[in-house]
Amino acid sequence: MCGIVGYIGKNRAIDFLIDGLKCLEYRGYDSAGIALKDKKMQVIKSLGRISELENKINEMSVIDAKLGIAHTRWATHGVPSEINAHPHTVGKVTIVHNGIIENVEFLKKQLLDDNVLFKSETDTEVLAAIINKYYDGDVLGTLEKVFNIVRGSYALAIIFEDKDELYAIRKDSPLILGVGDGEYFIASDIIPIVKYTNQYMLIEEGEVAELTSSGINIYFNRKKIKKDILKTSVMSQDREKCGYKHYMLKEINEEPIVLKQLIDKFFDYIKDFPKLSCYEEIHIVACGSALYAGMIGKCLFEEYTNIKVICEVASEYRYNRVLYDRKTLVILISQSGETADTIAALRKAKKENIDTLAIVNVKESTIARESDMQIYIEAGPEIAVATTKAYILQVAIMGLLCYREIGRNEKLDNELGRLPRMLKEIIDHRDEYKKLAKKIFNNEDIFFIGRKIDYAMALEGSLKLKEISYIHSEAYQAGELKHGTISLIEDDMPVFAIITDPDISDKTLSNLEEVKARGAKTIVISNELINDQLLQVVVPKVSAFFQPVLVVPVLQMIAYEVAKLRGCDIDKPKNLAKSVTVE
Ligand code: G6P
C-alpha cells in the first residue's frame, strides 16, 4: 500500500516521478504528492488521483530540479486529504513513506513534549519529526539512532534540506533502486524503473542507500558495502494497455499465453523439488484471491494425495497457535510476494524450522527471497488491482503439483497441451458474458454457491464481482445457504451455481432449486449442459486438476462486464490497493 518513487540524476526529476507514480497508482490512489529540490525545496500535494497532481505541477518554481521524491497514498493513519498526503516535511527533513509506524503514540508524545507542532494526522509526519530531532548533519548516524527506536514497517525516501543526495531505507516494505546511465531511481517495485533501465539493486533491512548524481552507495553499520547489480526481465511494454480498454481485460486475455509458458516449463522446473508426499501435513497460507487458489489446492491435494491440508488466511495464521507436530510443508501463495500477513506467516514457519515453499509472481519480492523453495508464477506484471492472470496461474500450479503426485500419463499430458487453447476460446466468448452481465448489473445483491472445489471457485467469483462492481455479493457452500442466509433471497436476485464435480452436482442443483422456488434468478456455470436451466455457461469438461482453470475466466469476464456496465473504475476500485504491505 502506498507507492514511493525518488530520482536523482542528469534529467528533470519530475518526468520520472509523475510517470513512476502512475505505474504505482495500483498501490493506493487516494492522494498524491511530490517534493522537488533545487536550490530550495518545494512540495505540492493533491487529493485524489495522480492526474489531479499533474494539473498542479506547472505551479512549481523548481520544476527543472534534478532531485525529487513522490508518493501515491492508501490511507492508514489519517483520512485521505491534502494535509495527510505525503511528502511530509519537518524542519530539514522531507520524506515519503510506505508502511506503518507502530509505536507512533510513544514517539509523538516525546515530540509533543519538545513542542513540535503537527499539521497532519499521519504516522509519517511523526517519523519525519523524529528524524529531524536527531539530525545533526550526519545522515548515517542519525538514521541508525532513529531506526533503533522506531517500530513498524517502512520503505522511505528522504531528502535533507542541506544535502544534495537522496536517501532510502527499508524494513518489511518493498523498495527497489534503479541504476541508470547518470540517473538513479527509487521505487516501490520494478515497473516504474524498466522504462529507464533494466539494472537494479535491492537493499536489506538495516542498510542505508545514498543516491548521488554519480552513483549509489550502500551502507551497513555506517560502513560502505558492495552490492550486486541485478538485471530484470520485466519489459517496458509490460506497462502498456496495448489497445485494451482496461488492464484487467488485457491481463485476462494474456492468460492463455502465460498458462502455456507455465505448462511448458513446469515439470522440468520442479524436477528436483521434494514431492508433496514427503510431508505428512501441508499448510497453505495466503490472503484474498491467493487464499482461494489455496482452497482449490486443498481440495485437490486432499482428494488425490491423502495428505492432510490446512488452508488458512495469513492474518489469522500468523497469530493462531499452530501445532507443527508432523512433518509439515508450509506453502505461501502471493502474487506480489509483499503481503505483510503472508510474510509474517512465512517467518513464523521458518522460525520453527518448517520447510516453506513460495508460489509467487514477483521474483524480487520478500516472500520469494525468504522462502526455502520457490515456484515463480511468471505471469508478468499485473497492473489491474483485481488479480486475474496471476490467480489463474496460482490455480494452475495447484493442479500441476497435484498431477505430478499421481504420476503423469499420456491422456492428461494431451489435455494439458490443449488447455491454453480451450482457455482462449472461453475468454473469446465475450458476447455471452456481455449478455449475461446485462441481466444482472442492476441487482445490488448476488450470491454464489458451490460445493467442495466448486465452492472455492464460487468464493473467487464473488470476490471478483464485488471488488470491481461494488455489488454486494457472498459465496456459500451450497448446503449451508438454507441455514439462515436463504431468508435474504428475493425475487429476481441472481444466484450463481458452480457445478463441475459430478459426485455432488445433483446436491448443488437441489440447492439451486430451493432458491429458485423463492424467486431467485439462477445462473449455472458448469462443465456439462444441464437441462431446464435458462441461464448457463458451459465450459469444456477436463480432469479435476485443470477444471478450475476453465471456470474462473468465466467468473472474471462476467465481473468485468458487470463493472463496465455500472461505469466503475475497473482497474482501480475504490478503497483497495493491490499490494497490502500493512497488516
Ligand atoms: C490484495 C489484492 C488481492 C490479492 C491479495 C493478496 O487484497 O487486492 O487481489 O489477492 O491482496 O495479495 P498477494 O499479492 O499476496 O497475492
Side-chain angles (χ1 to χ4, degrees):
M1 343 218 67
C2 301
I4 67 172
V5 278
Y7 179 92
I8 184 165
K10 59 185 180 189
N11 294 316
R12 288 189 348 159
I14 189 80
D15 302 322
F16 167 74
L17 296 176
I18 289 283
D19 188 44
L21 283 186
K22 285 183 183 162
C23 294
L24 294 178
E25 214 174 6
Y26 73 86
R27 298 177 68 86
Y29 30 84
D30 56 44
S31 52
I34 289 191
L36 291 178
K37 182 170 180 265
D38 208 330
K39 292 207 169 52
K40 61 175 192 144
M41 173 87 79
Q42 197 178 7
V43 176
I44 55 158
K45 303 179 187 193
S46 71
L47 186 61
R49 298 287 164 91
I50 312 297
S51 48
E52 305 288 327
L53 185 72
E54 226 178 338
N55 292 337
K56 284 187 172 178
I57 57 176
N58 287 332
E59 297 164 13
M60 296 185 89
S61 58
V62 291
I63 187 94
D64 293 326
K66 297 189 164 128
L67 166 62
I69 55 178
H71 187 271
T72 180
R73 182 167 187 251
W74 188 89
T76 53
H77 282 70
V79 295
S81 68
E82 206 167 301
I83 285 184
N84 287 336
H86 302 208
H88 288 283
T89 303
V90 179
K92 290 184 169 166
V93 177
T94 299
I95 61 174
V96 289
H97 169 215
N98 163 215
I100 210 159
I101 303 305
E102 285 164 4
N103 57 342
V104 65
E105 290 310 323
F106 166 78
L107 299 172
K108 197 167 184 175
K109 188 168 176 318
Q110 282 187 13
L111 294 159
L112 289 171
D113 291 346
D114 295 347
N115 297 320
V116 176
L117 293 175
F118 291 98
K119 296 188 206 99
S120 77
E121 305 155 278
T122 64
D123 53 341
T124 305
E125 192 183 10
V126 175
L127 192 54
I130 205 98
I131 299 173
N132 184 58
K133 172 176 167 159
Y134 286 97
Y135 182 56
D136 55 5
D138 166 19
V139 174
L140 297 178
T142 303
L143 294 180
E144 188 174 276
K145 272 183 228 146
V146 168
F147 290 100
N148 275 332
I149 53 171
V150 167
R151 280 210 328 267
S153 59
Y154 43 82
L156 282 183
I158 315 168
I159 301 179
F160 294 88
E161 192 187 81
D162 54 350
K163 301 272 179 210
D164 294 328
E165 295 80 24
L166 176 58
Y167 291 88
I169 186 162
R170 71 173 280 263
K171 176 177 169 277
D172 297 338
S173 291
L175 195 72
I176 304 266
L177 305 172
V179 185
D181 175 15
E183 49 183 356
Y184 305 92
F185 311 86
I186 295 173
S188 296
D189 73 27
I190 197 82
I191 308 281
I193 292 173
V194 291
K195 190 165 148 192
Y196 303 84
T197 175
N198 65 354
Q199 302 197 95
Y200 69 99
M201 283 182 188
L202 298 171
I203 55 167
E204 304 298 336
E205 193 172 315
E207 295 173 354
V208 177
E210 178 188 60
L211 289 80
T212 74
S213 51
S214 55
I216 301 181
N217 304 312
I218 310 279
Y219 298 91
F220 183 66
N221 283 339
R222 301 203 218 178
K223 290 205 182 65
K224 203 163 160 178
I225 56 166
K226 212 176 144 19
K227 273 268 155 178
D228 291 338
I229 295 183
L230 309 168
K231 271 201 175 147
T232 178
S233 56
V234 176
M235 312 283 277
S236 179
Q237 62 265 33
D238 290 335
R239 304 172 13 148
E240 311 302 329
K241 278 194 199 141
C242 302
Y244 288 97
K245 190 160 173 54
H246 297 99
Y247 282 110
M248 182 177 176
L249 190 60
K250 174 187 176 232
E251 287 160 7
I252 293 173
N253 276 279
E254 285 170 350
E255 288 173 358
I257 307 161
V258 291
L259 178 68
K260 180 162 184 340
Q261 284 164 2
L262 174 80
I263 293 170
D264 287 349
K265 281 199 222 158
F266 188 78
F267 295 108
D268 199 36
Y269 179 74
I270 60 158
K271 66 179 184 311
D272 298 327
F273 279 52
K275 287 212 152 185
L276 297 180
S277 51
C278 299
Y279 297 93
E280 289 164 27
E281 193 165 300
I282 294 174
H283 297 181
I284 305 179
V285 190
C287 300
S289 296
L291 177 75
Y292 298 152
M295 286 177 71
I296 289 177
K298 174 182 159 73
C299 294
L300 291 173
F301 298 166
E302 288 196 329
E303 189 82 33
Y304 296 98
T305 70
N306 285 325
I307 306 169
K308 182 178 172 203
V309 183
I310 291 168
C311 181
E312 199 167 9
V313 59
S315 53
E316 291 292 306
Y317 187 90
R318 65 182 293 181
Y319 293 116
N320 282 349
R321 183 162 172 238
V322 181
L323 301 171
Y324 297 108
D325 54 354
R326 305 211 256 168
K327 186 158 169 40
T328 303
L329 172 69
V330 176
I331 301 180
L332 297 306
I333 308 179
S334 177
Q335 188 285 124
S336 63
E338 297 294 351
T339 302
D341 289 318
T342 314
I343 294 173
L346 164 69
R347 289 180 180 163
K348 175 176 182 146
K350 289 208 64 153
K351 211 166 148 206
E352 302 288 330
N353 283 323
I354 300 295
D355 287 357
T356 53
L357 165 65
I359 297 176
V360 66
N361 196 30
V362 180
K363 282 188 176 169
E364 303 82 15
S365 63
T366 307
I367 293 176
R369 298 208 309 268
E370 293 189 12
S371 52
D372 301 316
M373 297 170 273
Q374 304 78 24
I375 296 177
Y376 296 114
I377 297 170
E378 307 227 32
E382 203 180 52
I383 313 260
V385 165
T387 178
T388 52
K389 60 175 178 169
Y391 173 79
I392 279 283
L393 295 198
Q394 290 163 356
V395 168
I397 289 168
M398 296 292 110
L400 289 167
L401 280 174
C402 199
Y403 174 38
R404 176 189 186 229
E405 286 305 300
I406 61 149
R408 293 171 65 186
N409 62 62
E410 207 183 317
K411 182 173 169 270
L412 287 190
D413 273 355
N414 284 339
E415 191 174 275
L416 206 46
R418 283 184 279 121
L419 207 60
R421 194 162 28 85
M422 289 193 262
L423 174 59
K424 178 163 183 352
E425 277 164 21
I426 289 168
I427 294 167
D428 286 347
H429 283 174
R430 196 165 164 198
D431 285 346
E432 194 178 352
Y433 312 126
K434 278 187 182 164
K435 265 192 225 145
L436 200 52
K438 277 196 188 131
K439 294 193 191 310
I440 61 173
F441 80 101
N442 277 323
N443 288 84
E444 290 307 326
D445 303 277
I446 298 183
F447 286 88
F448 286 74
I449 59 170
R451 287 172 184 257
K452 297 171 70 183
I453 200 164
D454 292 335
Y455 168 60
M457 289 186 255
L459 283 164
E460 175 62 7
S462 170
L463 178 62
K464 206 83 319 173
L465 181 76
K466 71 184 133 195
E467 72 179 321
I468 60 168
S469 74
Y470 317 138
I471 294 176
H472 164 247
S473 173
E474 290 178 45
Y476 272 84
Q477 292 101 334
E480 183 61 15
L481 201 66
K482 57 176 150 306
H483 296 289
T485 310
I486 203 164
S487 65
L488 296 174
I489 301 292
E490 284 177 1
D491 269 355
D492 209 39
M493 188 182 284
V495 177
F496 280 86
I498 320 281
I499 305 178
T500 67
D501 181 343
D503 292 343
I504 33 95
S505 57
D506 287 350
K507 306 283 176 199
T508 307
L509 273 173
S510 305
N511 301 130
L512 202 62
E513 288 306 316
E514 291 160 7
V515 292
K516 211 188 252 177
R518 284 153 184 86
K521 175 160 65 191
T522 59
I523 305 134
V524 171
I525 300 175
S526 60
N527 54 3
E528 273 179 356
L529 193 69
I530 296 172
N531 289 335
D532 305 327
Q533 299 300 325
L534 229 50
L535 298 175
Q536 70 175 305
V537 178
V538 184
V539 300
K541 188 177 185 129
V542 291
S543 79
F545 304 121
F546 315 130
Q547 191 68 70
V549 169
L550 299 187
V551 171
V552 172
V554 174
L555 300 167
Q556 294 172 341
M557 285 299 290
I558 292 171
Y560 174 80
E561 297 298 349
V562 168
K564 194 154 170 271
L565 285 172
R566 287 169 72 95
C568 298
D569 190 349
I570 294 181
D571 286 333
K572 298 188 190 86
K574 67 177 155 73
N575 301 340
L576 295 184
K578 188 162 185 72
S579 185
V580 182
T581 53
V582 293
E583 56 172 301

